[in-house]
Amino acid sequence: MSVERELNKRSGSKCELCGATENLKVYEVLPTKKGGLDESIMSCSTCIDQIENAGHEDLNHWRCLNDSMWSEHIPVQVVSWRMLSRLRKNGWPQELLEQMYFDEDTLAWAQATGEGEDDENKIIHRDSNGVILEHGDSVVLIKDLKVKGSSMVAKQGTAVRNIRLDHENAEYIEGKVDGQTIVIITQYVKKT
């Protein structure tokens, strides 16, 4: 059974965040380990657009989190926590956030994208042109790179999709090149 079919079944063909029934898509909650049902939610295009475009949130739309934060499904809880964290300066989201409890692994997953951190503490990853990089972005190598500990050379022009950010160092990202996960220095990539 496909992930989309299983998510439709799990959600009752509704957005697992706001309950909308139109323009539904599978939304993978990054960073993923295996992908699939346990790391995805069924969401409407309105929610996805606002999740992916910080600063363009309709505060009233997200009142739905009052219900979705109590979902029995971990990925729904994680996205709810991230949005409440992003909106917490508006009062009521902070109150809801204080009611949530996660085990250590779930909290680490929720915090993996940097939501919930104060802006001055956030590590910002930038490509060679100064463009901000996010989890899941695609980049292109701008120079041939020798991969340490291997005889492999990642060639200039190689596309690296679905990158992961190192949350301790702004100069490092991870991505797969020729099926191998490697660490790449941000000054050698350009966002596509």
Side-chain angles (χ1 to χ4, degrees):
M1 194 179 240
S2 75
V3 172
E4 184 174 8
R5 215 172 318 157
E6 291 203 30
L7 282 172
N8 266 321
K9 185 177 174 184
R10 178 176 93 184
S11 69
S13 298
K14 294 180 182 174
C15 174
E16 292 185 275
L17 298 170
C18 74
T21 57
E22 294 182 14
N23 300 318
L24 299 177
K25 293 194 312 191
V26 174
Y27 180 75
E28 215 172 40
V29 183
L30 299 175
T32 59
K33 292 180 183 171
K34 298 180 281 183
L37 188 65
D38 294 333
E39 295 180 348
S40 301
I41 65 171
M42 183 59 69
S43 187
C44 68
S45 58
T46 302
C47 287
I48 292 172
D49 184 52
Q50 292 186 41
I51 289 167
E52 293 179 343
N53 295 297
H56 295 92
E57 300 86 4
D58 173 4
L59 189 59
N60 284 326
H61 175 80
W62 291 105
R63 293 210 178 255
C64 61
L65 295 175
N66 190 35
D67 295 325
S68 58
M69 67 185 260
W70 302 111
S71 171
E72 64 185 281
H73 306 291
I74 302 292
V76 178
Q77 294 173 17
V78 166
V79 174
S80 296
W81 184 92
R82 288 177 181 173
M83 290 309 296
L84 288 169
S85 294
R86 186 185 300 173
L87 301 169
R88 71 184 180 276
K89 293 180 180 161
N90 293 296
W92 63 265
Q94 180 62 41
E95 293 171 17
L96 293 178
L97 201 54
E98 290 169 1
Q99 296 175 34
M100 293 188 82
Y101 172 79
F102 287 149
D103 62 43
E104 208 171 284
D105 291 339
T106 304
L107 183 60
W109 184 21
Q111 293 174 331
T113 59
E115 290 292 352
E117 291 181 18
D118 293 328
D119 289 339
E120 64 268 8
N121 295 336
K122 258 189 195 177
I123 293 177
I124 298 174
H125 295 74
R126 296 183 186 272
D127 73 359
S128 59
N129 296 325
V131 176
I132 295 175
L133 299 171
E134 303 282 343
H135 267 283
D137 281 347
S138 295
V139 296
V140 173
L141 301 179
I142 61 169
K143 161 182 180 172
D144 287 357
L145 301 174
K146 226 177 140 97
V147 179
K148 286 186 180 177
S150 131
S151 61
M152 183 177 133
V153 174
K155 296 288 186 189
Q156 177 180 347
T158 300
V160 182
R161 291 172 179 62
N162 198 17
I163 63 168
R164 291 186 305 257
L165 307 178
D166 182 323
H167 287 289
E168 295 175 9
N169 190 327
E171 293 184 14
Y172 295 145
I173 60 172
E174 290 182 3
K176 284 194 175 189
V177 174
D178 295 334
Q180 183 178 348
T181 300
I182 63 171
V183 174
I184 307 166
I185 297 174
T186 56
Q187 69 185 12
Y188 300 126
V189 300
K190 180 174 72 173
K191 185 174 175 177
T192 58

